[in-house]
Amino acid sequence: MLNRLRFGENAQGEAARAIELDPNDPEAQIAMAWALTTTGKPSGALDFVQKALRLDPNFPSHYVLAHGVALFATNDLEQAAEVFDQGAKKNPNATALMPPFASVLVGLGRRDEARRKLLMWRPGTSQAALEDLARDYQFPIRWAPEHKAVRERLLDGVRAAALPLDMTVSSLTAELKLGDPASRRIAAKRLGWFGPAAAEAVPALVVLLEDVRVREEVVQSLRKIGPAAKAAIPALVAMENESFIGSYAKDALKEIRGY
């Protein structure tokens, strides 16, 4: 059922028809959960996940994925981590759970555990290869365009999980003040992967808004930091009518202001 449904504009309708045809089909319930999660209604998705779990007490691991990601989308990271942990113990071969599990753990500040989850996903991987795998990782479900920030946050957490543990928000903030523009660009982008946890980098990022060579990455990271980046508002307002960067500045202002 999951593979037959298109997630996006018509997803809810298709899932509703599947449930109407067979209310006791747990796959139809999971399809509706995904449809709701990917269209900005993850709290509603949890009811359908719970029904699927009741209908199939021996549920497969993709039910765990739907459950954990719905919780992630509601920002209930503690419960999401518990769901992924129990799912992984129930089915140790379900390594596809490890990247989103790692992303949740990064959000909780548990980067050492997050890294271990990625290495369970790809055992024996070198540092460089792990970063490449995380960078190229694609979550199998897509969100409706207006809600794609949740998917972006999930992927960013996977990328942060792959970074060396000694690469922290503090060390990346220091890199913003050193080195060539390419190094500063990389540091700015990586800070965005940490989301709100990178709040201490905001003053340094604001200074870099004056450098057109790194400005795009800086604006994107300020957007991901969100309300904690309020100090950047005056500089972003001054940029919002500029060509190219202006649209990014407007998106960042929307996230930072919360409306």
Side-chain angles (χ1 to χ4, degrees):
M1 176 60 63
L2 183 62
N3 293 331
R4 295 204 304 268
L5 291 175
R6 296 190 304 275
F7 294 100
E9 184 179 350
N10 300 317
Q12 260 181 270
E14 293 184 8
R17 286 190 290 275
I19 291 172
E20 185 178 1
L21 286 171
D22 186 356
N24 293 315
D25 179 4
E27 292 289 336
Q29 305 293 330
I30 289 296
M32 178 60 89
W34 278 120
L36 291 170
T37 295
T38 56
T39 54
K41 308 175 192 73
S43 296
L46 294 170
D47 293 334
F48 289 93
V49 171
Q50 292 300 334
K51 186 168 184 181
L53 298 178
R54 289 195 297 271
L55 288 168
D56 184 0
N58 297 313
F59 53 88
S61 60
H62 68 270
Y63 291 22
V64 176
L65 185 65
H67 194 184
V69 172
L71 289 164
F72 174 86
T74 66
N75 286 314
D76 189 349
L77 299 185
E78 292 284 358
Q79 189 59 37
E82 180 64 22
V83 164
F84 279 125
D85 186 49
Q86 292 302 314
K89 288 175 180 175
K90 181 176 184 288
N91 186 353
N93 294 320
T95 55
L97 297 177
M98 295 301 107
F101 190 2
S103 184
V104 168
L105 291 170
V106 165
L108 290 169
R110 293 155 59 181
R111 285 184 61 206
D112 53 343
E113 294 178 64
R115 183 181 179 82
R116 290 199 295 271
K117 301 308 175 188
L118 284 189
L119 290 173
M120 290 172 66
W121 173 52
R122 293 291 186 269
T125 306
S126 69
Q127 176 60 45
L130 189 65
E131 289 185 50
D132 287 344
L133 285 166
R135 182 196 62 213
D136 296 335
Y137 172 74
Q138 292 296 314
F139 191 71
I141 304 296
R142 293 195 175 276
W143 268 249
E146 63 270 30
H147 300 290
K148 65 182 180 180
V150 176
R151 185 174 187 269
E152 179 183 50
R153 180 163 56 91
L154 187 69
L155 296 177
D156 282 347
V158 176
R159 293 166 184 143
L163 293 174
L165 290 175
D166 61 356
M167 188 174 290
T168 63
V169 169
S170 294
S171 71
L172 289 168
T173 302
E175 286 185 38
L176 294 178
K177 306 169 186 177
L178 303 170
D180 55 66
S183 298
R184 293 198 293 272
R185 236 185 345 260
I186 292 170
K189 179 178 286 188
R190 287 172 170 168
L191 282 165
W193 297 347
F194 288 88
E200 71 178 71
V202 169
L205 289 168
V206 171
V207 170
L208 276 188
L209 285 173
E210 299 176 4
D211 187 340
V212 295
R213 297 168 297 180
V214 300
R215 184 181 283 181
E216 181 182 349
E217 287 78 9
V218 170
V219 172
Q220 295 283 30
S221 290
L222 289 167
R223 172 179 61 82
K224 293 176 182 181
I225 293 170
K230 282 186 170 59
I233 289 177
L236 291 169
V237 168
M239 296 163 52
E240 59 182 336
N241 292 320
E242 293 185 25
S243 60
F244 179 67
I245 200 65
S247 61
Y248 293 118
K250 288 175 183 176
D251 289 341
L253 286 165
K254 181 178 178 182
E255 294 299 320
I256 293 168
R257 289 168 170 162
Y259 57 85

